Amino acid sequence: MLVRHIVLASLLAVTQAIQSSAPEAVPGRLRTLPLGQLNFLHTTDTHGWHAGHLQEASYGADWGDYISFTQRLREKIEAEGNDLLLVDTGDRVEGNGLYDASSPTGKYTRQIFSQQNIDIICSGNHELYKANTTDREFIDLIPAYGSNYLASNLDVIHPKSGERVPLAQRFRKFKTKNHGIKVTAFGFLYDFTGNDKNSFVQKVEDTIKEQWFQDAIKDRSVDVFLVAGHVGLRQSEFSNVFKAIRAAQWDVPIVFFGGHTHIRDYVKYDDKAYGLESGRYMETIGFQSVSGLPSRKHDEKKLELRTASYSFARRYIDNNLFSFYSHTGLDESTFPTEVGQNVSAQITKAREALNLDEVFGCNPRVLWMSRVPYPHKDSIFSWLGSRVIPEKAIDDHRKDYPRIIYANTGAMRFDIFEGPFTRDTTFIVSPFTSGFRYIKNVPFDIADRLLKVINDGNNFLGLSHSLLTDRQLKSPDQINLTQDYVASSTQNQHTTDPEDPPLTPGYTTHDDAGDDGDDTIHSEISHYQIPNCIESRVNINEDQNSHESQEETVDVVFLDFIQPWMLEALRMLGAEYTSEDTIPYAGGRSFTEMIAEWVSENWQGDC
Ligand SMILES: *[C@@H]1O[C@H](CO)[C@@H](O)[C@H](O)[C@H]1NC(C)=O
Ligand SMILES: *[C@@H]1O[C@H](CO)[C@@H](O)[C@H](O)[C@H]1NC(C)=O
Ligand SMILES: *[C@@H]1O[C@H](CO)[C@@H](O)[C@H](O)[C@H]1NC(C)=O
């Protein structure tokens, strides 16, 4: 059965990504795109990864390649008289050197990004953390996208006039190019409250009561509602929008495009309403299609009929050239477009200007965030806790004192791959500027119990690793080291026909439509729960026999980001300290600097 959907693409295909340091895409077994009458490509949470993943072949295509893909797929779809729309649902900024390393931040990425024609685009929370990011969004991206940029529940302070204005228009009505399908589109942000002073996020539940929204959803001439949002598909914000539209019209199809939770997901709200979420970091190009809509250009008589049975489909495309060539039926010479190649060249130039390929060291082996349990020899946190932190988080004035050093696992964002550890890697794995602080002479018996308090229960939810909480995680008691070690190190556990390319580990998505959403058939990757925080104990003398500590007091050292939680945990153990008791440690150097320094001293191999 599966075979029917699989393209056994040629093993000979040469799939060199345009960023020359990107790995060649590995041929995989692909499911075809379920093209329909109205088709969508969707990106979300790209977080500056517009150069693609230079150390992961599955996601090696860059934003220029995506532009070529869009143009080529459009040619194919329009040749059959159908329509293609593009959607992006925010968090384009922060999280990769291409964005973070420039001064000002995003100097190159906005220009690179906006060369992609996008029909519906909206803002994420990361566009709003810093007032100047929001200003750049207003000054650069709003003019680039004009009425395609939607802000249904978001206002900003106008950078020039100082007045409160909608970031962009609230909604948009338009007709598709080929079928003349009437679309009404919205662009929401979830009920975010961590924004800077120059933006205002209205709760979605309040927005949908407003007159403009009520009028828009009562319009009977609409063929399909398109609800884009930087909102997880299963969050209440979207179910409230769904209920509001259904209260106004029971029979109009609705397509949702979500984001924020960094996962691949597809949700059935009812048999005429489906939503797609397309992962994170340029790993995934989401595809959705709807058929059964009226064709107003060719089918005028059917205009007012809405009895058709609609069909919906989805696919998650791995962002690499092998997938792009296969889905368009093109190859290395016929695939690239001039705009796409130009944009790839601009990315190369920006990366050079930012010196992102400067090599600090050569990593001998991969270190995982959640693909192995903690502790584990291949865990990034075991490496940090046993080597980097004890060897680098040292304060000249306190180096002989016993200490316990705490780091939150959320300080790391990404796995570290075998091979060159570059300036780019520092931004990818730890883009934060946090350094360490400490409290002197904390009674040992209190410090000894701190980690347990921080990692226990629900007291410290805000600390848990935000990038991992959305995954299906195994808890420690579900861990079977023997089995999982085999799983994570096996490239090909499935039996394949002789001519089938071997399966590589990757996304194996389970969603409301089943298990066949991913375009590339992968072997499954396990993910494990990791603690909120890890600790490193340094210079703590133990009794030779009882192994009990002989220290009366220790320095409690921690990343400055977790200070509020540290103080709270100390209080819970009966030790009252305030922020005035905390002092910068190790000369205020950032954790990221320490990691880079450790790498350049310890990983001097040949890549
Ligand atoms: C915003 O301000 C920060 C801190 O001053 C600076 O590092 C960053 O480059 C600025 N970003 C933009 C887009 O202006
Ligand atoms: C591509 O870049 C070249 C050189 O910068 C420019 O002349 C040309 O107009 C660009 N083409 C497109 C389609 O953007
Ligand atoms: C762990 O997995 C291995 C390999 O699949 C299996 O042989 C073993 O019985 C499992 N152990 C437990 C405790 O489930």
Side-chain angles (χ1 to χ4, degrees):
M1 278 235 300
L2 203 54
V3 177
R4 209 155 46 87
H5 303 287
I6 293 175
V7 186
L8 281 174
S10 160
L11 279 167
L12 298 173
V14 180
T15 48
Q16 180 65 58
I18 305 215
Q19 294 305 306
S20 59
S21 56
E24 275 192 26
V26 180
R29 284 194 275 160
L30 293 192
R31 301 181 176 99
T32 54
L33 290 188
L35 297 178
Q37 181 190 10
L38 177 56
N39 303 278
F40 303 91
L41 289 175
H42 176 219
T43 48
T44 191
D45 298 85
T46 50
H47 284 289
W49 287 75
H50 304 109
H53 291 236
L54 302 180
Q55 291 177 303
E56 288 177 283
S58 287
Y59 320 118
D62 68 22
W63 193 251
D65 299 326
Y66 176 46
I67 291 176
S68 296
F69 178 58
T70 304
Q71 293 183 323
R72 296 308 187 201
L73 193 66
R74 185 185 301 287
E75 288 166 10
K76 183 172 165 175
I77 286 170
E78 294 194 346
E80 289 167 12
N82 291 322
D83 286 301
L84 174 67
L85 297 175
L86 261 68
V87 181
D88 181 84
T89 46
D91 274 12
R92 293 170 283 275
V93 304
E94 298 177 346
N96 185 289
L98 189 62
Y99 179 90
D100 294 302
S102 67
S103 180
T105 46
K107 179 174 160 191
Y108 302 98
T109 50
R110 279 181 292 272
Q111 163 68 12
I112 287 164
F113 185 92
S114 59
Q115 288 175 71
Q116 174 68 296
N117 293 321
I118 299 176
D119 299 279
I120 299 297
I121 178 169
C122 62
S123 170
N125 50 311
H126 276 265
E127 276 80 17
L128 309 179
Y129 280 109
K130 292 181 184 148
N132 60 1
T133 315
T134 312
D135 286 344
R136 289 324 313 178
E137 194 71 7
F138 194 91
I139 294 164
D140 295 338
L141 277 226
I142 300 293
Y145 286 105
S147 63
N148 296 8
Y149 202 123
L150 298 179
S152 296
N153 64 332
L154 176 58
D155 287 350
V156 297
I157 298 293
H158 191 292
K160 297 233 166 64
S161 75
E163 276 167 40
R164 177 173 167 164
V165 293
L167 172 68
Q169 62 181 358
R170 299 288 187 221
F171 73 111
R172 173 174 179 222
K173 291 169 74 165
F174 63 100
K175 282 187 188 172
T176 63
K177 180 176 161 191
N178 291 310
H179 288 292
I181 297 163
K182 287 186 172 178
V183 183
T184 294
F186 305 98
F188 285 99
L189 173 62
Y190 74 98
D191 297 344
F192 173 56
T193 55
N195 47 319
D196 209 335
K197 289 191 191 71
N198 67 336
S199 58
F200 307 88
V201 183
Q202 188 184 38
K203 281 191 167 178
V204 173
E205 60 185 285
D206 296 330
T207 305
I208 60 183
K209 288 180 194 138
E210 291 193 335
Q211 198 57 45
W212 69 265
F213 183 81
Q214 286 297 324
D215 291 344
I217 62 174
K218 283 176 185 149
D219 175 3
R220 282 297 285 168
S221 71
V222 175
D223 294 323
V224 59
F225 286 109
L226 190 168
V227 183
H230 193 77
V231 180
L233 294 179
R234 295 170 201 272
Q235 288 181 221
S236 61
E237 288 91 337
F238 266 0
S239 55
N240 288 334
V241 172
F242 168 71
K243 283 181 210 151
I245 295 177
R246 275 292 169 261
Q249 305 204 47
W250 66 275
D251 57 350
V252 180
I254 314 169
V255 286
F256 286 83
F257 293 90
H260 185 58
T261 56
H262 288 190
I263 57 171
R264 292 181 173 185
D265 200 9
Y266 187 62
V267 170
K268 178 179 181 176
Y269 297 95
D270 68 16
D271 64 359
K272 298 181 181 67
Y274 286 82
L276 179 76
E277 183 173 339
S278 304
R280 58 167 201 182
Y281 304 159
M282 278 287 282
E283 291 171 352
T284 304
I285 306 297
F287 174 88
Q288 184 167 205
S289 67
V290 193
S291 299
L293 296 160
S295 183
R296 293 185 177 275
K297 288 217 173 132
H298 314 296
D299 209 4
E300 286 298 328
K301 284 194 207 99
K302 275 200 182 167
L303 259 185
E304 301 310 326
L305 288 182
R306 211 182 270 140
T307 51
S309 65
Y310 303 105
S311 61
F312 295 79
R314 54 85 178 90
R315 195 67 83 221
Y316 311 100
I317 302 169
D318 274 9
N319 178 42
N320 65 65
L321 286 180
F322 182 79
S323 282
F324 289 177
Y325 294 170
S326 303
H327 294 310
T328 52
L330 299 171
D331 62 25
E332 194 188 5
S333 59
T334 51
F335 173 81
T337 66
E338 192 182 336
V339 186
Q341 282 179 316
N342 272 7
V343 169
S344 293
Q346 287 162 23
I347 294 170
T348 306
K349 263 174 100 176
R351 288 182 49 78
E352 278 164 13
L354 294 169
N355 215 3
L356 292 179
D357 286 325
E358 182 192 348
V359 176
F360 292 140
C362 187
N363 183 6
R365 66 201 167 88
V366 66
L367 293 167
W368 302 114
M369 298 236 305
S370 65
R371 286 201 205 181
V372 293
Y374 171 83
H376 189 283
K377 68 175 181 45
D378 296 330
S379 159
I380 209 168
F381 303 110
S382 292
W383 167 69
L384 290 172
S386 65
R387 300 294 312 270
V388 180
I389 292 174
E391 291 169 31
K392 283 287 144 196
I394 297 172
D395 188 287
D396 285 345
H397 307 291
R398 305 289 295 177
K399 60 173 177 283
D400 300 325
Y401 288 80
R403 54 190 175 269
I404 308 182
I405 308 169
Y406 301 83
N408 57 312
T409 55
M412 302 304 282
R413 283 186 76 119
F414 215 69
D415 307 317
I416 300 180
F417 295 96
E418 192 181 331
F421 187 106
T422 63
R423 191 167 144 74
D424 198 21
T425 316
T426 62
F427 287 99
I428 291 170
V429 302
S430 182
F432 310 103
T433 46
S434 283
F436 288 91
R437 296 180 76 82
Y438 80 113
I439 302 173
K440 267 185 197 157
N441 305 331
V442 175
F444 177 79
D445 71 306
I446 291 196
D448 192 37
R449 288 176 286 153
L450 255 180
L451 187 72
K452 199 161 184 307
V453 171
I454 295 172
N455 285 340
D456 250 14
N458 292 332
N459 298 329
F460 294 91
L461 267 187
L463 244 190
S464 64
H465 201 299
S466 62
L467 299 180
L468 295 172
T469 46
D470 43 48
R471 300 201 178 225
Q472 292 291 334
L473 298 180
K474 294 192 180 179
S475 67
D477 54 4
Q478 290 174 280
I479 291 172
N480 177 338
L481 272 180
T482 320
Q483 189 181 24
D484 292 317
Y485 187 68
V486 174
S488 71
S489 60
T490 307
Q491 293 274 308
N492 177 10
Q493 313 162 56
H494 296 241
T495 40
T496 56
D497 298 324
E499 75 268 31
D500 285 354
L503 297 185
T504 53
Y507 280 99
T508 47
T509 310
H510 313 288
D511 61 28
D512 285 5
D515 300 339
D516 62 353
D518 304 299
D519 80 328
T520 310
I521 302 173
H522 285 291
S523 59
E524 188 154 1
I525 297 171
S526 302
H527 288 279
Y528 298 89
Q529 258 172 17
I530 48 173
N532 292 342
C533 287
I534 58 169
E535 66 171 22
S536 308
R537 297 185 174 218
V538 185
N539 286 349
I540 307 225
N541 290 314
E542 278 182 359
D543 182 281
Q544 292 291 330
N545 301 317
S546 69
H547 291 291
E548 278 187 15
S549 165
Q550 297 174 321
E551 308 300 345
E552 301 220 326
T553 64
V554 292
D555 287 347
V556 165
V557 185
F558 46 85
L559 280 176
D560 56 15
F561 176 81
I562 60 173
Q563 176 163 312
W565 290 281
M566 293 301 295
L567 294 176
E568 178 59 23
L570 284 163
R571 200 167 299 131
M572 288 166 71
L573 289 166
E576 288 288 336
Y577 293 97
T578 68
S579 51
E580 263 125 67
D581 300 312
T582 73
I583 308 163
Y585 195 78
R589 286 186 310 133
S590 81
F591 189 31
T592 308
E593 271 175 72
M594 293 177 187
I595 296 171
E597 211 174 273
W598 189 96
V599 165
S600 49
E601 288 164 10
N602 291 277
W603 282 346
Q604 278 314 327
D606 200 355
C607 284

